[in-house]
Amino acid sequence: MHDIVSSKKMENGIVVFWEEKGEKTYESFNYSELIDMNINALDLLERPKSYKVDKDAHKLIVKK
């Protein structure tokens, strides 16, 4: 799991960015995937540092 450092709205989803081995890495999630994971897209855009990404499972989770 990686801490998300920023997020950006795209045409049909959101791209999240995190640091891995000193490089900025990203992965995109469409709105349907976010809904399936019970992730609030607006909250993800406004407070990206409140989330973690599991790139292998292609999942986002809210930090506790």
Side-chain angles (χ1 to χ4, degrees):
M1 292 267 180
H2 302 280
D3 292 332
I4 295 173
V5 295
S6 64
S7 60
K8 181 178 178 183
K9 181 179 177 185
M10 301 301 281
E11 185 176 314
N12 53 346
I14 296 177
V15 177
V16 296
F17 300 89
W18 67 91
E19 298 253 343
E20 185 175 8
K21 299 177 184 170
E23 293 188 23
K24 202 169 193 180
T25 308
Y26 65 90
E27 188 154 353
S28 62
F29 295 86
N30 64 43
Y31 292 117
S32 178
E33 291 171 324
L34 295 172
I35 291 167
D36 289 345
M37 291 183 278
N38 293 318
I39 300 294
N40 181 313
L42 183 58
D43 190 55
L44 178 58
L45 289 170
E46 291 178 349
R47 301 181 321 123
K49 294 182 179 184
S50 298
Y51 294 85
K52 288 184 171 243
V53 61
D54 181 345
K55 68 175 186 169
D56 296 328
H58 191 70
K59 293 206 176 224
L60 295 172
I61 63 159
V62 179
K63 287 185 191 177
K64 298 283 179 180

